[in-house]
Amino acid sequence: MDAAPVTATLLLSCPDQKGLVAAVSNFVFENDGNIIHADQHTDLEEHYFLQRVEWELDGFAVARDDLRDAFRPIADRFSMDWSVRFSDEIQRIAIFVSQQAHCLYDVLARWKMGELRADIPLVVSNHPDLAEVAGDFGIAFHHLPVTAETKSQQEAATIGLLEKHRVDLIVLARYMQILTADFVRRYPNRIINIHHSFLPAFAGARPYYQAHERGVKVIGATAHYVTADLDAGPIIEQDVVRVSHSDAVPDLVGKGRDLEKVVLARAVRLHLDSRVLVYGNKTVVFD
Amino acid sequence: MDAAPVTATLLLSCPDQKGLVAAVSNFVFENDGNIIHADQHTDLEEHYFLQRVEWELDGFAVARDDLRDAFRPIADRFSMDWSVRFSDEIQRIAIFVSQQAHCLYDVLARWKMGELRADIPLVVSNHPDLAEVAGDFGIAFHHLPVTAETKSQQEAATIGLLEKHRVDLIVLARYMQILTADFVRRYPNRIINIHHSFLPAFAGARPYYQAHERGVKVIGATAHYVTADLDAGPIIEQDVVRVSHSDAVPDLVGKGRDLEKVVLARAVRLHLDSRVLVYGNKTVVFD
Amino acid sequence: MDAAPVTATLLLSCPDQKGLVAAVSNFVFENDGNIIHADQHTDLEEHYFLQRVEWELDGFAVARDDLRDAFRPIADRFSMDWSVRFSDEIQRIAIFVSQQAHCLYDVLARWKMGELRADIPLVVSNHPDLAEVAGDFGIAFHHLPVTAETKSQQEAATIGLLEKHRVDLIVLARYMQILTADFVRRYPNRIINIHHSFLPAFAGARPYYQAHERGVKVIGATAHYVTADLDAGPIIEQDVVRVSHSDAVPDLVGKGRDLEKVVLARAVRLHLDSRVLVYGNKTVVFD
Amino acid sequence: MDAAPVTATLLLSCPDQKGLVAAVSNFVFENDGNIIHADQHTDLEEHYFLQRVEWELDGFAVARDDLRDAFRPIADRFSMDWSVRFSDEIQRIAIFVSQQAHCLYDVLARWKMGELRADIPLVVSNHPDLAEVAGDFGIAFHHLPVTAETKSQQEAATIGLLEKHRVDLIVLARYMQILTADFVRRYPNRIINIHHSFLPAFAGARPYYQAHERGVKVIGATAHYVTADLDAGPIIEQDVVRVSHSDAVPDLVGKGRDLEKVVLARAVRLHLDSRVLVYGNKTVVFD
């Protein structure tokens, strides 16, 4: 693929007010910007407005470094939550895993093929099993075992690594440990987990076993941002697959793996492309 | 469509044992039967065997009225739960509704077009609203209002109607009343409900509202046999549809209606075709 | 449901240019409009821009009857294709059928329940079979038989009826006749057909038979605007369902019917809500 | 997972006759076999019967090496096409690729994780690009470039490699060359291709481009056995994903990749588990 032109992406949300769309589009237009994507959503019950606008930097009248200052007066006028991202800023991902390899293989293969535009400086695991997989892709692997007693030290060591590597996004690729509220608070809407059920069904442990016990005819997977409440954070993406009585638990596990990989990858890509806005405990996904 | 040949369908289940399949297939073969469908499932964990065999009656050496007696020795030898159904026995359905019309319209239209081979002698409702719909299709409508105080009388009156009309199957087509355990016990695996979520998520009241609150990216519908535990009976069929942040609750309701109709109709048809076996709290569906 | 507030919906498309979004949003803002939905799409290859903007009329500074004149200068400046619709204008639908009842029942039940906001003054058919269905819903039924020899007279008579009833939209609910190019030309992007395959696979006659012959593992349905090229018009909506070797042609027909109904209904609703724009031989669907 | 017990799987097909099921089940029963899976299908139009029976070898009265001889009289009596496979026979796969890595990565990761029980002695490619991927997984990579002039020599060299490595199954993991009829004839129902459309739509070159031109709302992928007719062999598995006007061709390619991987992997696994029977130009898939 060609080098795509560098773009700026503005994400914003605020109470709904007349003139919002006009103000933002005038800002881009008057500075000679060429909008290539614009999406917006108004929550008519909450009277809340959310928008994503992406335009080409080439030819834009405001210099890249001045862009945030130039937009700030508009943001302040409408009391916006907002951020600006440039498409050539490469985000840095840490992948957390335990013993299951399928999501790790999938993320790393996508990264190696250029499908995920990001740097992956490290893989962190509470088990040693997947060191070789990380190694085959040339990624540093950090084995940080954890017990109930060592949890706080292990998290402190992990945070040290994340800060050293200036990590922007943590991907829990079937990491079978619960992060503490303290840890989670450091990375708000920047930790993506894949849970192997269609939440809120079958939260917690052994969802495929639970699904088999209940006799469901579809199983699912859910990618969500991690919050202090287990499996209850804002959902980014979900998908399902049909199953039948002939699927024993290992069959559900096998079918589920294919879902988990795809759902996690979609969520990571949506996040990297700045297509996900969180409000309340929900997401708006501009795909 | 042509008149299909009359068939016998044997449904059986029992602890798994060697020689089961041979015994059943020999019974059909030695009596000159022509098997047109045969399905079986072995639950390898529970060591439990379930089978559905359908063969043409025409040319079968055992007379229709003697068939059950002829098979009984085999059934006894293997301690089977079993039943035999003939394809020309038309089952009788009572439809229970409240105020929402979409499932009622859908079931009645399928019946009128010959898609559901059954008789529908009556519609029962705790509200008067849908009398006209039933009337347009020429079906008797019984308005039996219910309050906490009159529940037992209303159920007694309902049972009187069901017995008078020799009803085989009760279809809860968005009936917004909880049936008592006493009522349910009279119709084991013969009451089909449509619940407007992918159970076990969002059991109970207002599932679309719950789904919207949780911010899910798929919604579903579940058809299940009614047991004494609310929304917890054996699942016959489920399906889902994608939704997004742009779907407010009324949008979920609208998308969900299309799911509910199709999922309920599939479940009713599977039941009428003797394709559903219940074991434990699950179903085996031979479709 | 409450009476929704009356809205204006502007649909527009034109070559992509800077300032387009600003011009439209300023028009609404400066006249004190409250935008409740706005969607846009830029085709980056064709450099073509399409937009749908919906705002509340209540409080809007331009009177309803002056709205088109007020917007025209902007439309002209950007060489827009455009139209304005008001949400309280009820469109008038003619349904064309042949002998299959399922889509007709489905559309009429939705209409009766208020799910489709439209008037349905007439059903037209080349066969008499479905007169009773139309009658049960209180809709006039016109039986206009057609042969190769009488095709032009039949179409002339049909057009007479459509004009008399001021029909805005024609829904081919499994109408098994090919309309002439002359007829089609009178109703550009105003005739919706349901084809019982996932086009472009299995265009033409007997798609379920073709699908069975080919041994596909999914079947589909396609709703599209009718053009002079058979089954080749702009696709509005498609969906599919899994099938297997155990599905004979009648099973495919049965599963397909459920798809056809839902896909057709979605397309009709999208059209009535002014959510479909046609450009080239494709649609942009703002749902 | 535990070592599963060794099983024998009998695949058979023949004209439908009375006594078939009894004969096969008696064979297993009288030799003290424990059936763990049995599936059958009768094509009522073609009067053709297909069956898959799997039982445990442990305790079976016929020695493994004598099994085929013991069954032959039954097979001959009913004029069966038949084969027997033992679950501990590991099949040998050659993967053919060109320049796209996603299917290769996916198959190799599944193999490495033990999800695909097979040996993969070699990867063959007409381009050098993916040598490193194969190498990372420790698989020999053979670069065999091909032009119109060298096609027959290249195929001869390829066949030499396949024979040397005693390859049972060829997986075309986005191999962008058409195999000659001569080559295909050597591996009947033993070459699986992944085509990036829901066949028969968009056969041939550039299916995502064709899909974009046609404006479809779903795209698909098809895994099929390769025959001499391009993209026309028996379909093993298909799946689809929704797309919209906002998906440009590269978006379709990206979404399609996820389909291709999963659909190809399912087909390979079904084949390895002896769950696919071909008859006419169709498959029966016992999953």
Side-chain angles (χ1 to χ4, degrees), chain D residues 152-247:
Chain D
S152 60
Q153 295 106 289
Q154 193 255 15
E155 284 200 348
T158 304
I159 289 166
L161 283 169
L162 298 176
E163 292 184 345
K164 178 180 156 205
H165 288 287
R166 304 186 320 282
V167 162
D168 299 298
L169 175 68
I170 298 166
V171 174
L172 307 187
R174 299 297 310 273
Y175 181 62
M176 307 307 275
Q177 282 288 317
I178 297 173
L179 299 169
T180 65
D182 270 353
F183 187 102
V184 169
R185 203 172 301 124
R186 287 171 178 267
Y187 293 92
N189 301 328
R190 296 205 285 141
I191 309 172
I192 296 178
N193 183 46
I194 181 72
H195 184 78
H196 38 315
S197 80
F198 49 85
L199 289 173
F202 311 130
R206 304 182 73 201
Y208 293 125
Y209 176 82
Q210 292 183 58
H212 189 255
E213 281 299 287
R214 183 62 188 91
V216 292
K217 303 301 185 190
V218 287
I219 58 168
T222 304
H224 63 94
Y225 287 117
V226 174
T227 60
D229 292 330
L230 184 65
D231 297 333
I235 293 170
I236 305 168
E237 171 66 350
Q238 298 187 291
D239 211 344
V240 303
V241 67
R242 289 189 76 81
V243 298
S244 80
H245 61 266
S246 69
D247 290 298

Side-chain angles (χ1 to χ4, degrees), chain D residues 5-10 54-58 60 62-69 82-91 117 272-274:
Chain D
V6 178
T7 60
T9 298
L10 175 62
E54 182 174 1
W55 68 94
E56 296 181 14
L57 272 189
D58 191 36
F60 194 59
V62 182
R64 175 176 177 143
D65 289 346
D66 303 330
L67 207 157
R68 289 182 179 89
D69 287 340
W82 65 290
S83 64
V84 173
R85 294 284 287 278
F86 300 105
S87 63
D88 58 356
E89 292 169 344
I90 302 299
Q91 296 190 58
R117 290 203 337 118
L272 292 177
D273 290 347
S274 302

